[in-house]
Amino acid sequence: MNARLRPLLVSSLWIFLVLLMLPTRAVADDPFTGPRSERRLPKERTVDIQHMKVSLTIHHSEGRIRGKAEITLVPLRDSLAEVALDCAELLVKKVSRPDGKPYKFRQAGERLMIECDPPLGGDSPVTITIQYEGHPKRGLYFVGPDDGYPNKPRQIYSQGEPEDTRFWIPCHDYPNDRTTSELIVTVKRPYIAISNGRLVEVVDDSASGSRTFHWKEDVAHVSYLISLVVGEFNEIKEQAGDVMLSYYVSREDTEKAATSFSRTPEMMKFFAERIGLPYPYEKYSQVTVHDFMWGGMENISATTLTHRTLHTKRSRPIANSDGLVAHELAHQWWGDLLTCRSWPHIWLNEGFATYFTSLWFEDTDGVDEFRYRVLGHHRSYQGEDRDEYRRPIVQDVYIDPMNLFDSHTYQKGASVLHMLRFVLGEKGFWRGIRQYAKKHQVGVVETEDFRRSMEDATGRDLSTFFRQWVYQAGHPKFRVTWDWDPKMKMVELRVTQVHRVDALTPLFETPVGIELTMKAETKSFRVSIRDRDQVYYLPAETRPQMVRFDPGGWILKELEFKKGRDEILFQLEFDSDVIGRIEAIRMLEETSPFPEGFDALGKRIVTDSFWGVRVEAAGALGTWGGRAAFTHLARAAGDDDARVRRAAVQALGKLRSEPALRIVRSVFAGDSNDYVEAAAAETLGEFHGKGVEKELIAGLDRPSHVEVLRTGIVRALGKLHQEDLIPTLLLETKYGRPPRSREAAIKALGEFAGKDPKVRERLVTLLRDPYIWARRAAADALGAAGDPDSLEDLRGLLAREPDARVRERARLAIRKLEGRMPQELDRQEERIQRVEEEREELRARLAALEEELARHVRRRRELEVELREQKERIRALEEAPAAPALK
């Protein structure tokens, strides 16, 4: 066998075996997949679509489109008698040959079947023209004023990902085919149409009062990236090198655009330099729309964003568009220029964009900000893993592609890239990233393409890395202890993996950094973890004041590192690594309060140079509580950074004392940041029986950024658990109230649904609300209420709901009410897991004790040998003849 092929064969075999262990259909009790899941294979292609030219006339008031799609394709099979395209809820009027003669066709479900007589063959492109019309309910969304929201602007926007372009354009609606495209859109004045690529021309028709916009994208892309936005916009232009940037916002939001998008040019330069490829498209536009279902969508060269991201300086740094803008811009490479071939590999889009967003923050705001964002990735994924489900990143058993857009894909995907950077080092990692981008640009990719590129660039075998982190699930939980031997002048470091190991979650193999801090020096080591329990001996002339495991927080893990108070306090005070200081705060939080700990946390909350450490210290003080905590938190409530003030206010709510209430009330009455006021409002909900409901209700109409203050007030009213507040909460669910506060009110009513028939009736009505997130919130509330009478209503929502995310919430609520996920079963599973974890811990402790016993036995034998030798020497001395007496 060729030696170069052996690693590829071995790694491919590993992947095959891992996938073989996974079920082809879902386990009924699996909280991720559910009983309706099955293995989803990539959609087959019978043609290669090379170009799509789509002409649309849009009638906004009717929600209607009339279209013509000219699709140029090459057959991939000989004598192709039928071309099948995705076409959902569109009425096809005619399908024509290049010579204008009609093709026979039929529509079946969401497919358009075109009979080719004579059959297609050869390598010559063929253009098929499809004329159609429809009233799209998905894929293309019509926004406008109504009785509830009379000031909402008239807009239209597309959202194709994952597979919704078929609802407004017949196409191959799956990400394993790339095509160039043109969009020719006719709209009434004064509206404009914005799409992908360059604007070829605008044609005015004064007789009809319409304008036709012709856009063309010359870089091939997958179908879900085709974009259309129609509305009245102000266009703000600037240049980023040779690339024209355009920001489209409503007229009243023009001033906010500079605050929200001003860093786009430097982001574009950063990504181009890091990835090694210049921005590859004709232009880059960012368009803000109302009622957008995401934060943003990375349509090729034409990103769509929610208008809620627009903000003024008053809302910063809590409201900040930089992360969203960077994420969608990073997608122009990761997701657009290189696109996942099938949905199980969506992390190659989303995990990459998430990590490169954090890399941009590392470049602009420093390493502390970057490491804190990485820690945020870890926490987000671990929360989902702990509270909802565990799955491999590459998961091909699912109900709907939307199920895969979760923290396993985004945050764990980003964490995998970060660990790969640690494993390979800076030079190797970036050499591999650039080689991967260059080789696969304008292509579709799978995880193995990425792995091979990184291996080719570094000469490393990464099969184990990808198997455990991508194709299997979970993460390691380490228990770490250390001691210092003054005779040997060595630190003995014991590392035990104490997580449960099963077919899904392995024992992990990973390098990890170790750092020993002594008075005179700091020593760094890199060790390899492979086994359940390992001991490392590290040279140290004096007892370390601090031992760090994984400084910098590279490894995705849970860490149990028992340390004494002195070491924890030293680490909090002197560790230059922001992760180390936060780690020390978490260790303190898990201990009983003590005076020196209060002093140390109080010092951090005031003097630490990084805002994230001050936030973490505030949380720990809130957990400890007491007068000493109040003193420090009261001071932190006046911090210059709004994020720290918000954390201090939230921590004061845990104290529930009269002095804490006075400060929270003061902040609620007026802070320089809307989001701090909103946090104070929600925190007032922790003070039951203090009469806070009156001042909360009085503040409902105070203005704030995207009604964040009103939402905080509504959440507080829900937290008070007072039945006399039901009328206020019911009123807040009325169509026409601010969307986010409506959601908060709907969720708050869940606990009353089983007690008050009016509440349940209102929640059932909201299952048909026009607003997507209101329907989702109503499903959540009915599921939480636990009333079996709601089952049929939730099943009705599941049957008719067009959005996969709402369907998923309906499905979860149904499973709760049907008893498929009873709380007692959850508790039993938790107990079983705890018993398993305790058993693994006992095994590890037993192994450690056995090794310790073996050492003692060996030492005893050594002492017995020494004792016998001593006795022999004494006996020899006693039996020796006496020395002659001296004269």
Side-chain angles (χ1 to χ4, degrees), residues 238 240 245 247 260-269 284 286 325 329:
E238 67 173 319
L245 306 180
Y247 315 134
S260 304
F261 302 138
S262 61
R263 303 182 83 173
T264 304
E266 59 188 274
M267 292 176 185
M268 185 173 286
K269 180 181 178 183
Y284 186 57
Q286 296 177 87
V325 171
L329 181 55

Side-chain angles (χ1 to χ4, degrees), residues 513-688:
I514 308 295
E515 195 172 85
L516 310 180
T517 298
M518 283 74 69
K519 288 183 179 180
E521 62 178 336
T522 296
K523 289 186 174 183
S524 297
F525 304 88
R526 188 178 176 112
V527 301
S528 294
I529 296 174
R530 292 187 177 89
D531 301 325
R532 167 72 77 178
D533 187 70
Q534 288 180 263
V535 178
Y536 305 91
Y537 295 93
L538 309 172
E541 288 297 314
T542 60
R543 182 180 182 85
Q545 296 169 294
M546 175 176 70
V547 176
R548 287 291 314 285
F549 180 85
D550 186 30
W554 289 92
I555 308 301
L556 177 58
K557 65 187 181 301
E558 292 178 63
L559 178 62
E560 180 187 318
F561 198 163
K562 295 296 183 183
K563 297 185 176 186
R565 286 182 178 180
D566 290 344
E567 184 180 355
I568 295 173
L569 293 175
F570 181 90
Q571 183 170 323
L572 180 58
E573 175 74 14
F574 297 107
D575 199 333
S576 60
D577 174 21
V578 65
I579 299 301
R581 301 199 297 279
I582 292 172
E583 185 181 284
I585 291 170
R586 296 280 73 80
M587 290 176 185
L588 283 178
E589 193 172 10
E590 293 169 1
T591 67
S592 299
F594 60 101
E596 295 84 359
F598 278 115
D599 293 342
L601 290 170
K603 184 176 181 180
R604 284 300 102 199
I605 207 172
V606 173
T607 65
D608 202 282
S609 59
F610 181 60
W611 66 271
V613 174
R614 305 202 300 276
V615 164
E616 300 285 335
L621 286 167
T623 299
W624 273 8
R627 290 184 179 179
F630 169 77
T631 300
H632 299 303
L633 289 171
R635 187 163 44 178
D639 195 281
D640 290 339
D641 194 303
R643 295 166 292 193
V644 179
R645 297 200 303 276
R646 179 175 63 175
V649 164
Q650 291 166 335
L652 285 166
K654 297 179 182 179
L655 273 55
R656 295 187 175 89
S657 64
E658 286 293 337
L661 176 57
R662 284 195 295 271
I663 292 179
V664 175
R665 275 179 158 149
S666 174
V667 175
F668 172 62
D671 188 272
S672 60
N673 188 286
D674 293 342
Y675 287 80
V676 179
E677 291 181 356
E682 188 170 350
T683 301
L684 286 175
E686 304 291 344
F687 293 90
H688 300 206

Side-chain angles (χ1 to χ4, degrees), residues 119 310 865:
L310 297 168
V865 170

Side-chain angles (χ1 to χ4, degrees), residues 44 49 164 195 201 276 330 341 416 559 584 708 857:
E44 288 191 352
I49 298 178
D164 284 356
S195 186
E201 64 175 347
R341 180 175 175 268
V416 167
L559 178 62
V708 64
V857 169

Side-chain angles (χ1 to χ4, degrees), residues 485-528:
D485 187 331
K487 291 183 178 179
M488 300 295 293
K489 296 192 180 301
M490 301 283 281
V491 166
E492 180 186 273
L493 185 80
R494 179 178 294 277
V495 180
T496 308
Q497 298 190 53
V498 296
H499 60 275
R500 181 179 179 179
V501 176
D502 52 29
L504 200 59
T505 306
L507 274 178
F508 286 83
E509 298 182 27
T510 182
V512 67
I514 308 295
E515 195 172 85
L516 310 180
T517 298
M518 283 74 69
K519 288 183 179 180
E521 62 178 336
T522 296
K523 289 186 174 183
S524 297
F525 304 88
R526 188 178 176 112
V527 301
S528 294

